[in-house]
């Protein structure tokens, strides 16, 4: 008993020490060229959804170019180079369905981590996940407040989610066996913390604009800044 | 036959059917449970329906009441013997065949004479030249709607081109496709012109669906891999509902498309305001 | 009582295993089918309760549901995908496991050898095999309730692509595979049974039992067996093709270019309508496979208890054969709006009109049979009368659906649900109940309780009307079938209140079945002992012991001298003359 707790303490010490020396990777994802007109989604056929948006169409999130010329909803993650095992955090990742829309549109999740899919709308949604490597699932949530939980068993970038009841609803999950990922937001920024020193392949993934990779090397305690630039494909 | 049989069962049969019939008529009339209000030119369907309903209703009452009456009247009595019918005289054979035949003739042939066959031929025959075309494509669990635009022709589609931007896989290089007006699944409602023949071209992207417009007496399966067709003339202005009538999955029960019938000019005008495919699918 | 039991056991020296489990005796096999069928019936009924609860109380949490169904009713709300699985399993179980295997399996097995004066089936081992293959089918179907993605969920008609593409609905995953395997086994079992019934009827009739002296029951079972033999293999072929589409990448039923859940499907060149043809080529005869045994049991029971010859016996038999033959060419009336060639639609209107002739004749003959009879109102007789009372609205509403243009409106609505529950479902179930009450004394050597039987009848008869009659009006108003809730459309939501009423009726009618179950199992052990011929009936089975010994007859086979329906013959001493009574040359 005592032995065990001592060794646990030691382990904690080692871990915190090594974290102290870890690097941080940050940066922005830029968009080059003229921002495309956002696709408008009108929810006319489903009166309830339409009412939640005051009868106005909603802008699709496939290509969101921020005010500062950066790109939203890019999944930036370490593709290669991670060593060691990482345990998933206990708290679940939440995918909310609200206003006949997925929140968030893109997210990362660890293998073994719980995904909580929530229905905040008083109507039917179904969560239809179509992974290639993990087990697909398809489940209906007919009433408000329903929650379903899933865990993924193998890394997979990306797992698409769709609501068949509202075919415009789409979300993507990056499933990884380590915690080194980030999703760009309204400023187009990403940040990956606690990266042990080493050489990594970093990939930036966008649903419509494809992927880009960079190879980087980080030293202990360093904060490294990189940049990705996406362009409209012709 | 040793024991006298109780009259209870015969009486209960009679009581059940008589009160049941009266109650049903009362409840149905009170709540107006009937065919939904007719809004198309398919009144023949209603006519045949009502005819069969009356004939079948009378036959139902007659046969259930005679059944009940027989049970009451002929319930067993040890002092009596059943009336013996030997089984195979010519007269018996005739009597057994005749009423059944008559019933069937009355019931069904009369229905056909009311124009069933010719309506069928019309629905599936030639469509009128000046018809208003709409393409309805089912997908789990919503309807894509496409109008052909000013040229009156639908552009080519190719499943390989299907994406979130282009849910029908329209081949924009096709001239006929450029002016098509598309509402992706769940994003549009169906506008139909009053008093003008409307042709539905019906398709499906995944499983079998079946657009069903109760008020228009229209139903035609959407079969993946083929285009089915039906046509009718909307005769009433207003808002209606299109439902899915073929089990297509867990959202089948709410695969709805609102339908609005408006004067033809209004629909035309509204169509002109919509963005054509060429400006949408880059 | 125990002494008597012991005596019976000494009679045939068989081990428990060969007597009750792997028995080749047609009577034991019949009882095995009956009990398995009853178990399936109870399961099917419980499934219908879950559906009815959902339809009556949509979107209202019922926490006890979560206790029973677990993840299928999270938060006490039934999942829509599970509702679809429920209708699929309810339909499949009721049609195939209860009313095909349970009904034909029980009564063809029990009655054919006994009523034709044979000692057993032509191929007793095949017969045993037939039951055990059915048992295996049952086990596979049961297992499918416990797989992760749930049991099959594409309707009992299993239309592809919904049933062919695994991601289209959870019930199209492993559940559908198990469904197909189970149905394959089921069909093999039915074919083994049918072969036996046909051979036995043709070759094992005792002396004097000409075809025109066969009771109508045997005719019914015989025609049913032929129908099964002709149509089941087609579904078997279809099921194998569907398995290939699902597992081995063929494309019999799945066309190219499909996109499911946003992902392209790797199939091309198939045609979904092909399945519908294959399915209904069996599926329509199937409803007669369900119905004809019931009709024929009812005819027999009506004549016996009306103490009157069956009216126009030969015409009735002809009608049975006519229905059987025509039922093979009407399948297209299920497909008027399927996208099938509309000219074919016209053809099927005509064949469907044609099949209503023999049906109308048969029902009319039955009515005339009780006319001026001397009715003995046993529970069996009441159920037979109830069969007529239910079949009549069922058959009449068929006239609407047969007329193609009207079917455009009514197809796949609750009108159809009401129609087939009257014609096929509850009418056949009433035929089965009638048969059980009537032949129970012969099967188990004891009488069932009369009072309980009558209460059971009235509860069920009135219950069925209250459940299904209102559905005609829901259908007329346009409510589509297989809907998880009626709340989404204006034209359906008017019935949310009526649905509560129907659901209450379903529970009351269901509870009434407990009376039957109690009566059945209690009487099996505790009922008063039955005579040889408690109903004073003419047919052969009533001339031997109740229950008949192994081998059915004593050392000599019975000899038949007359037809089966000589009731109330003028001048005769009794109001019945068994088939074994020689015709006296009467001194004039
Ligand atoms: C206990 C009485 C019964 C009740 C309360 C009941 C109720 C139901 C309900 C609620 C449905 C689903 C309707 C829908 O959502 O479209 C259904 C479908 C069905 N029932 Fe029953 N039922 C009963 C007995 C039977 C019996 C005895 C049969 C025997 C053949 C039967 C055969 C079917 C079939 C074939 C379907 C269609 C399944 C499908 O759509 O795939 N039912 N029943
Ligand atoms: Cu949704
Ligand atoms: Cu549907």
């Amino acid at each position: 008993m005592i032995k065990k707790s001592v060794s646990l303490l030691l382990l904690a010490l080692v871990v915190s020490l090594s974290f102290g020396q870890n690097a941080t990777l940050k940066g922005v994802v830029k968009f080059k060229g003229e921002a495309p007109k956002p696709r408008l989604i009108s929810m006319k056929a489903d009166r309830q959804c339409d009412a939640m948006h005051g009868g106005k169409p909603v802008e699709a999130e496939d290509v969101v170019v921020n005010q500062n010329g950066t790109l939203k909803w890019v999944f930036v993650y370490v593709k290669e180079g991670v060593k060691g095992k990482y345990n998933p955090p206990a708290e679940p990742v939440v995918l909310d369905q609200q206003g006949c829309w997925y929140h968030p549109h893109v997210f990362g999740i660890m293998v073994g981590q719980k995904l909580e899919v929530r229905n905040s709308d008083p109507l039917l949604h179904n969560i239809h996940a179509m992974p290639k490597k993990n087990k697909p699932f398809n489940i209906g949530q007919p009433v408000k407040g329903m929650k379903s939980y899933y865990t993924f068993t193998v890394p997979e970038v990306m797992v698409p989610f769709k609501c068949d009841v509202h075919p415009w609803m789409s979300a993507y999950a990056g499933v990884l066996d380590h915690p080194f990922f980030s999703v760009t937001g309204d400023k187009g920024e990403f940040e990956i913390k606690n990266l042990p020193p080493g050489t990594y392949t970093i990939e930036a993934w966008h649903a419509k604009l494809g992927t880009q990779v960079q190879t980087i090397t980080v030293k202990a305690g360093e904060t490294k800044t990189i940049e990705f630039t996406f362009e409209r494909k012709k | 036959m040793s024991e006298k049989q109780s009259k209870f069962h015969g009486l209960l049969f009679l009581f059940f059917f008589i009160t049941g019939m009266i109650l049903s008529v009362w409840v149905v009339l009170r709540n107006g449970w009937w065919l939904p209000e007719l809004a198309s030119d398919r009144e023949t369907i209603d006519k045949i329906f009502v005819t069969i309903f009356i004939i079948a209703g009378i036959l139902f009452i007659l046969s259930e009441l005679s059944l009940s009456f027989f049970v009451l009247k002929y319930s067993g009595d040890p002092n009596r013997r059943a009336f013996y019918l030997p089984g195979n005289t010519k007269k018996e054979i005739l009597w057994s065949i005749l009423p059944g035949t008559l019933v069937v003739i009355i019931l069904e042939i009369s229905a056909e004479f009311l124009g069933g066959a010719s309506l069928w031929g019309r629905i599936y025959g030639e469509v009128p030249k000046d018809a208003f075309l709409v393409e309805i494509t089912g997908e789990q669990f919503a309807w894509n709607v496409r109008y052909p635009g000013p040229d009156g022709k639908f552009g080519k589609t190719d499943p390989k081109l299907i994406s979130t931007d282009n849910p029908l896989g329209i081949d924009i290089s096709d001239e006929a496709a450029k002016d098509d007006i598309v509402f992706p699944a769940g994003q549009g409602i169906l506008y139909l012109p009053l008093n003008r023949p409307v042709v539905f071209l019906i398709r499906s992207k995944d499983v079998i669906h079946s657009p069903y417009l109760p008020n228009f007496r229209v139903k035609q399966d959407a079969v993946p891999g083929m285009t089915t067709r039906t046509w009718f003339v909307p005769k009433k202005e207003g808002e209606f509902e299109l439902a899915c009538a073929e089990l297509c999955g867990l959202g089948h029960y709410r695969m709805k498309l609102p339908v609005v019938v408006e004067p033809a000019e209004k629909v035309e005008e509204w169509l002109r305001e919509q963005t054509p495919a060429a400006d949408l699918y880059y | 009582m125990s002494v008597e039991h012991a005596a019976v056991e000494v009679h045939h020296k068989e081990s428990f295993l060969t007597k009750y489990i792997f028995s080749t005796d047609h009577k034991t096999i019949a009882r095995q089918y009956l009990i398995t069928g009853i178990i399936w019936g109870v399961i099917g009924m419980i499934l219908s309760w879950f559906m009815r609860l959902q339809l009556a109380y949509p979107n209202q949490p019922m926490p006890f549901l979560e206790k029973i169904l677990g993840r299928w009713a999270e938060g006490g709300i039934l999942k829509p995908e599970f509702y679809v699985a429920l209708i699929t399993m309810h339909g499949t179980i009721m049609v195939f496991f209860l009313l095909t295997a349970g009904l034909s399996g029980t009564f063809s097995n029990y009655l054919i050898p006994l009523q034709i004066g044979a000692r057993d089936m032509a191929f007793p081992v095949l017969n045993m095999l037939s039951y055990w293959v059915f048992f295996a089918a049952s086990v596979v179907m049961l297992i499918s309730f416990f797989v992760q993605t749930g049991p099959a969920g594409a309707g009992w008609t299993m239309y592809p692509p919904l049933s062919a593409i695994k991601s289209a609905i959870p019930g199209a995953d492993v559940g559908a595979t198990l469904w197909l395997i189970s149905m394959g086994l089921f069909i093999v079992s039915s074919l083994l049974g049918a072969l036996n019934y046909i051979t036995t009827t043709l070759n094992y009739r005792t002396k004097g039992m000409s075809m025109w002296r066969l009771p109508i029951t045997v005719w019914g079972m015989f025609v049913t067996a032929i129908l099964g033999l002709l149509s089941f293999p087609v579904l078997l072929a279809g099921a194998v093709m569907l398995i290939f589409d699902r597992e081995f990448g063929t494309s019999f039923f799945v066309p190219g270019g499909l996109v499911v859940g946003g992902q392209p499907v790797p199939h091309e060149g198939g045609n979904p309508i092909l399945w519908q043809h294959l399915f209904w080529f069996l599926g329509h005869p199937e409803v007669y496979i369900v119905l004809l045994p019931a009709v024929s049991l009812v005819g027999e029971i009506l004549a016996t208890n009306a103490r009157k010859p069956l009216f126009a016996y030969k015409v009735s038999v002809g009608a049975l054969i006519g229905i059987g033959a025509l039922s093979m060419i009407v399948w297209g009336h299920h497909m008027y709006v399927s996208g099938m060639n509309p000219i074919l639609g016209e053809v099927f209107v005509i064949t469907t009109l044609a099949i209503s002739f023999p049906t109308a004749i048969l029902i009319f003959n039955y009515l005339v049979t009780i006319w001026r009879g001397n009715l003995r109102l046993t529970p069996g007789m009441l159920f037979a009368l109830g069969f007529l009372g239910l079949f009549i609205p069922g058959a009449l509403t068929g006239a609407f659906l047969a007329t193609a243009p009207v079917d455009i409106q009514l197809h796949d609505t609750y009108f159809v649900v009401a129609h087939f529950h009257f014609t096929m479902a509850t009418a056949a179930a009433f035929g089965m109940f009638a048969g059980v009450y009537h032949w129970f004394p012969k099967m188990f050597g004891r009488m069932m309780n009369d009072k309980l039987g009558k209460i059971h009848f009235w509860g069920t008869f009135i219950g069925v009307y209250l459940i299904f009659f209102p559905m005609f009006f829901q259908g007329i108003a346009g409510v589509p079938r297989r809907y998880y809730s009626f709340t989404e459309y204006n034209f359906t939501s008017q019935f949310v209140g009526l649905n509560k009423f129907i659901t209450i009726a379903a529970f009351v009618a269901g509870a009434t079945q407990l009376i039957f179950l109690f009566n059945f199992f209690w009487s099996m052990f505790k009922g008063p002992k039955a005579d040889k011929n408690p109903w004073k009936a003419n047919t052969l089975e009533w001339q031997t012991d109740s229950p008949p010994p192994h081998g059915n007859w004593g050392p000599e086979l019975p000899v038949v001298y007359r037809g089966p329906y000589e009731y109330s013959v003028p001048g005769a001493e009794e109001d019945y003359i068994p088939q074994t009574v020689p015709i006296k040359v009467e001194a004039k």
Side-chain angles (χ1 to χ4, degrees):
Chain A
M1 192 63 199
I2 293 173
K3 233 180 181 173
K4 209 170 173 189
S5 42
V6 167
S7 56
L8 265 176
L9 254 171
L10 271 176
L11 191 77
L13 209 67
V14 171
V15 168
S16 58
L17 268 178
S18 60
F19 270 172
Q21 300 184 340
N22 281 345
T24 301
L25 180 69
K26 25 196 300 199
V28 291
V29 180
K30 292 208 166 128
F31 182 79
K32 201 170 118 195
E34 195 198 335
K37 248 193 323 195
R39 193 158 58 90
L40 287 184
I41 294 189
S42 127
M43 302 183 184
K44 282 278 176 287
D46 194 316
R47 293 270 151 87
Q48 278 167 292
C49 298
D50 202 36
M52 282 187 263
H53 297 279
K56 290 198 195 71
V58 181
E59 292 181 2
E61 294 181 298
D62 346 306
V63 184
V64 181
V65 178
N66 296 317
Q67 306 260 292
N68 60 359
T70 57
L71 196 56
K72 199 178 172 181
W73 299 129
V74 180
F75 185 66
V76 183
Y77 70 106
V78 180
K79 189 171 186 182
E80 278 159 36
V82 176
K83 292 186 192 76
K85 269 208 150 78
Y86 295 87
N87 287 326
E91 62 276 16
V93 175
V94 175
L95 177 62
D96 195 9
Q97 302 158 99
Q98 196 194 4
C100 303
W101 206 259
Y102 281 124
H103 305 277
H105 177 53
V106 176
F107 60 94
I109 186 169
M110 276 184 72
V111 167
Q113 189 179 7
K114 256 194 191 162
L115 171 64
E116 175 182 314
V117 189
R118 224 185 252 172
N119 186 359
S120 307
D121 288 336
L123 47 85
L124 173 75
H125 289 298
N126 76 314
I127 308 101
H128 199 167
M130 298 282 279
K132 297 259 152 48
K133 297 181 201 148
N134 286 281
K135 247 185 108 52
F137 53 85
N138 181 5
I139 195 152
Q141 292 186 331
V143 299
K144 186 170 174 154
M146 279 197 151
K147 286 176 189 168
S148 307
Y149 295 93
Y150 301 96
T151 48
F152 295 94
T153 50
V154 281
E156 181 170 354
V157 178
M158 308 285 285
V159 176
F161 288 72
K162 181 175 177 267
C163 172
D164 299 315
V165 183
H166 307 100
W168 60 79
M169 287 172 68
S170 107
Y172 296 90
V175 183
L176 294 171
D177 53 5
H178 58 72
F180 306 119
F181 54 78
S182 172
V183 178
T184 61
D186 293 336
K187 298 221 165 65
E189 291 168 344
F190 61 88
E191 182 174 51
I192 297 172
K193 284 189 192 147
N194 287 330
L195 203 56
T199 303
Y200 299 102
T201 310
I202 313 290
E203 182 171 87
W205 172 98
H206 186 271
K208 280 274 133 70
L209 306 174
T211 54
Q212 295 192 8
V213 286
Q214 288 186 24
T215 305
I216 55 144
T217 304
V218 287
K219 293 196 278 297
E222 180 191 22
T223 297
K224 191 163 186 110
T225 308
I226 59 171
E227 206 178 280
F228 289 98
T229 306
F230 281 90
E231 225 177 325
R232 273 278 288 288
K233 284 176 295 188
K234 271 296 141 206
Chain B
M1 179 67 52
S2 44
E3 269 173 76
K4 184 155 175 64
Q5 300 290 308
S6 137
K7 293 273 174 201
F8 169 79
H9 299 288
L11 283 172
L12 190 48
F13 264 117
L14 265 183
F15 174 79
F16 172 72
F17 279 114
I18 293 175
T19 47
M21 285 166 192
I22 294 171
L23 269 177
S24 324
V25 171
W26 183 67
V27 171
V28 167
L29 286 181
R30 221 178 77 112
N31 291 292
W33 289 339
W34 197 240
L35 292 168
E37 185 194 16
L38 178 71
S40 79
D41 62 335
R42 294 193 176 175
E43 68 279 342
T44 314
I45 290 181
D46 290 29
K47 226 162 61 189
I48 303 175
F49 178 86
V50 171
T51 314
I52 302 182
F53 193 88
I54 291 168
I55 299 172
I58 293 171
L59 287 174
F60 174 70
I61 293 171
L62 282 182
S63 43
E64 296 290 16
L65 289 188
S66 41
L67 173 70
S68 312
F69 178 73
F70 291 169
V71 178
L72 177 68
K73 173 101 196 265
Y74 304 117
S75 64
D77 184 338
N79 301 319
R80 196 174 46 135
R81 263 201 186 187
F83 171 57
Y84 180 72
L85 277 163
N88 288 310
T89 62
K90 281 234 173 63
K91 216 163 116 195
E92 236 185 285
I93 291 178
L94 190 72
W95 263 108
S96 78
I97 294 181
L98 215 74
T101 314
L102 234 88
V103 162
V104 170
I105 288 179
I106 298 175
L107 199 61
E108 316 229 24
I109 305 299
S110 71
E112 279 298 285
F113 275 139
L114 281 171
S118 69
L119 175 67
W120 189 254
R122 199 159 68 99
I123 292 172
Y124 289 104
E126 285 283 296
V127 294
K129 289 243 156 41
D130 63 332
F132 181 87
L133 294 180
V134 199
E135 182 195 75
I136 303 178
T137 305
E139 81 176 72
Q140 290 178 327
F141 300 99
W143 303 95
N144 299 271
V145 179
R146 176 157 71 132
Y147 301 89
D151 68 351
K153 284 202 196 84
F154 289 109
K156 282 202 203 81
T157 58
D158 180 351
K160 288 193 199 74
L161 299 174
I162 290 178
S163 70
T164 45
D165 291 330
N166 189 355
L168 291 174
I170 290 177
D171 181 356
I172 207 69
S173 64
D174 180 15
E175 271 312 307
K178 292 201 161 53
D179 63 346
D180 287 4
I181 293 160
V182 181
F183 296 93
Q187 302 189 34
I189 61 179
L190 189 59
Y191 280 95
L192 300 178
L194 187 66
N195 289 328
R196 216 180 122 185
V198 171
V199 177
F200 279 175
L201 298 175
I202 301 162
R203 307 199 304 150
S204 166
K205 276 170 71 176
D206 40 36
V207 301
I208 303 177
H209 304 275
S210 188
Y212 170 38
L213 296 101
N215 297 88
F216 299 85
R217 315 289 186 255
V218 170
K219 184 183 291 138
Q220 180 65 53
D221 281 5
V223 185
M226 61 194 269
T227 304
T228 53
R229 197 197 67 190
T230 190
W231 75 274
F232 61 98
V233 184
K235 288 283 187 192
K236 278 220 166 68
E237 262 182 79
E239 278 194 42
F240 304 95
E241 289 171 313
L242 181 155
C244 181
E246 183 61 62
L247 178 65
C248 56
L250 61 87
H252 169 55
Y253 73 101
R254 68 189 310 292
M255 189 168 160
K256 174 156 86 173
L257 180 63
V259 179
V260 172
V261 177
E262 285 188 340
E265 316 81 64
K266 265 197 166 165
V267 175
E268 296 289 347
E269 193 186 309
W270 171 82
L271 271 175
R272 275 194 296 276
E273 288 165 8
Q274 305 305 310
T275 321
D279 294 352
L280 273 181
Y281 304 128
Y282 17 83
Chain C
M1 218 163 286
S2 56
V3 179
E4 287 157 7
H5 254 270
V8 175
E9 242 131 69
V10 171
H11 207 79
H12 356 271
K13 289 193 196 75
E14 288 175 286
S15 72
F16 177 82
L17 208 66
T18 55
K19 181 149 190 271
Y20 292 108
I21 311 291
F22 296 110
S23 170
T24 55
D25 183 338
H26 71 104
K27 299 184 292 298
T28 306
I29 295 172
R31 281 176 290 192
Q32 289 174 324
Y33 267 112
L34 179 59
I35 293 186
T36 319
I38 289 177
I39 294 171
W40 275 121
V42 171
I43 296 175
M45 188 177 70
I46 292 174
L47 297 184
S48 78
W49 288 348
F50 290 130
M51 303 189 284
R52 285 310 324 174
L53 273 177
Q54 161 59 29
L55 293 174
Y57 304 102
N59 298 351
Q60 288 175 36
M62 289 172 271
F64 67 93
L65 279 184
E66 186 167 11
K67 292 221 176 71
I68 307 171
L69 299 173
R71 67 179 187 283
W72 297 117
E74 267 173 43
I77 289 173
L78 209 70
K79 294 262 172 204
E81 57 270 34
F82 191 61
Y83 183 84
V84 176
L86 282 175
I87 59 164
T88 308
M89 297 311 273
H90 164 79
T92 307
I93 286 169
M94 289 299 203
V95 173
F96 292 108
F97 288 75
L98 173 65
L99 292 180
T100 303
L103 180 58
S104 277
T106 305
F107 290 102
S108 299
N109 264 312
Y110 200 79
L111 293 180
I112 290 178
L114 275 169
Q115 290 194 328
I116 66 172
R119 293 204 183 273
D120 205 321
M121 284 287 179
F123 314 111
V125 176
L126 221 56
N127 204 20
M128 176 186 83
L129 211 62
S130 159
Y131 174 76
W132 285 104
V133 175
F134 164 60
F135 189 83
S138 296
V139 171
V140 174
M141 200 56 97
L142 265 184
I143 288 173
S144 78
F145 278 97
F146 301 99
V147 300
Q148 174 66 29
T149 43
W156 80 285
T157 50
M158 286 296 258
Y159 280 7
L162 186 60
S163 60
I165 299 171
K166 292 185 182 174
S167 63
I169 186 169
D173 210 303
V174 192
T177 308
L178 292 174
W179 189 95
L180 289 165
I181 293 173
S182 172
M183 284 311 297
L185 290 170
F186 182 91
I187 292 169
V188 169
S189 150
S190 296
L191 293 178
L192 292 178
L195 268 177
N196 238 328
Y197 308 149
I198 294 170
T199 319
T200 309
T201 310
L202 288 178
N203 297 329
Y204 283 70
R205 278 169 289 131
T206 188
K207 190 160 169 243
M209 182 60 90
S210 66
M211 287 305 267
W212 286 122
R213 281 181 182 166
L214 286 176
I216 190 145
T217 24
V218 178
W219 272 110
M221 311 289 179
F222 180 63
V223 175
T224 305
I226 295 175
L227 270 184
L229 205 58
L230 293 179
S231 57
F232 264 123
V234 177
L235 183 63
L236 184 58
V240 170
M241 285 154 82
L242 190 49
I243 290 179
F244 268 74
D245 271 13
R246 292 167 48 81
E247 308 294 340
F248 308 115
T250 57
S251 295
F252 292 107
F253 307 122
V254 188
L258 301 193
V259 178
V260 171
Q263 309 293 311
V265 175
H267 279 276
E268 54 192 312
N271 184 347
I273 295 185
L274 174 63
W275 167 268
Q276 299 182 22
H277 282 294
L278 294 179
F279 182 86
W280 287 115
F281 187 83
L282 160 86
H284 198 83
E286 169 61 23
V287 307
Y288 290 96
I289 289 171
V290 164
L291 193 68
L292 290 184
V295 169
S296 63
L297 293 175
V298 166
E300 176 74 25
I301 294 168
L302 286 177
T304 306
N305 289 297
R307 318 305 295 161
K308 254 187 90 193
L310 189 70
F311 180 66
Y313 164 78
K314 282 189 180 170
V315 178
S316 302
V317 169
L320 280 181
I321 297 173
I323 293 174
L326 287 168
S327 78
M328 305 285 300
I329 51 167
V330 297
W331 79 89
H333 66 214
H334 297 272
M335 298 167 60
Y336 288 141
V337 299
S338 68
M340 168 183 82
N341 185 336
I343 311 255
L344 274 180
E346 290 282 10
V347 175
F348 283 116
V349 172
I350 292 164
T351 55
T352 307
L353 289 186
I355 203 169
S356 54
F357 280 82
T359 314
I361 288 169
L362 200 62
I363 295 307
F364 181 76
N365 286 356
Y366 281 7
L367 276 177
V368 180
T369 301
I370 57 172
W371 171 68
R372 297 185 69 181
N374 200 18
L375 311 185
R376 181 176 51 207
L377 299 167
T378 60
M381 179 64 166
L382 286 175
F383 271 100
L385 294 165
F387 169 93
L388 291 180
L390 296 174
F391 188 76
I392 289 167
L396 287 171
T397 47
F400 296 83
L401 301 168
T403 315
V406 178
D407 188 57
I408 293 178
Q409 180 70 3
L410 297 177
H411 177 74
D412 267 344
T413 65
Y414 263 80
F415 193 88
V416 176
V417 175
H419 161 73
F420 71 69
H421 273 101
F422 272 109
T423 19
M424 166 181 75
T426 54
F430 268 50
M432 186 163 171
F433 279 132
V436 170
Y437 280 107
H438 192 77
W439 277 280
F440 188 91
K442 190 52 63 179
M443 286 180 142
F444 297 100
R446 291 171 187 278
M447 304 297 287
M448 282 178 86
N449 184 292
D450 197 65
K451 272 255 154 44
L452 290 181
K454 287 172 176 166
I455 297 173
H456 172 223
F457 167 73
W458 281 108
T460 313
F461 185 73
I462 295 176
V464 163
Y465 257 98
L466 295 184
I467 297 169
F468 295 111
F469 204 69
M471 289 188 190
F472 282 123
F473 293 94
Q474 297 186 328
I476 291 171
V479 182
R481 71 192 270 210
R482 296 169 169 174
Y483 266 29
Y484 164 74
S485 100
F486 284 23
T487 51
E488 304 295 322
Y489 294 87
N490 293 331
F491 70 98
T492 59
S493 51
Q494 57 176 319
F495 293 114
V496 174
L498 180 60
N499 266 350
K500 292 196 176 58
F501 172 83
I502 296 178
T503 297
I504 293 166
F507 274 93
V508 174
T512 316
Q513 306 316 306
L514 295 178
I515 300 176
F516 168 76
L517 289 179
F518 170 75
N519 196 353
F520 184 87
F521 287 106
W522 188 81
S523 305
M524 201 189 278
F525 300 105
K526 295 279 156 76
K529 292 221 62 144
D531 299 338
K532 256 187 180 183
N533 192 356
W535 313 126
K536 298 191 169 42
N538 289 345
T539 42
L540 292 183
E541 79 274 27
W542 300 107
Q543 319 311 327
T544 182
D545 293 339
S546 299
H550 197 71
N552 294 348
W553 322 99
E556 299 286 324
L557 285 178
V559 178
V560 169
Y561 297 97
R562 51 182 81 230
Y565 298 116
E566 304 212 350
Y567 290 108
S568 305
V569 179
E573 215 166 283
E574 296 264 15
D575 65 354
Y576 69 110
I577 311 176
Q579 288 187 281
T580 48
V581 174
I583 294 178
K584 274 181 264 164
V585 185
E586 259 154 58
K588 290 234 165 120

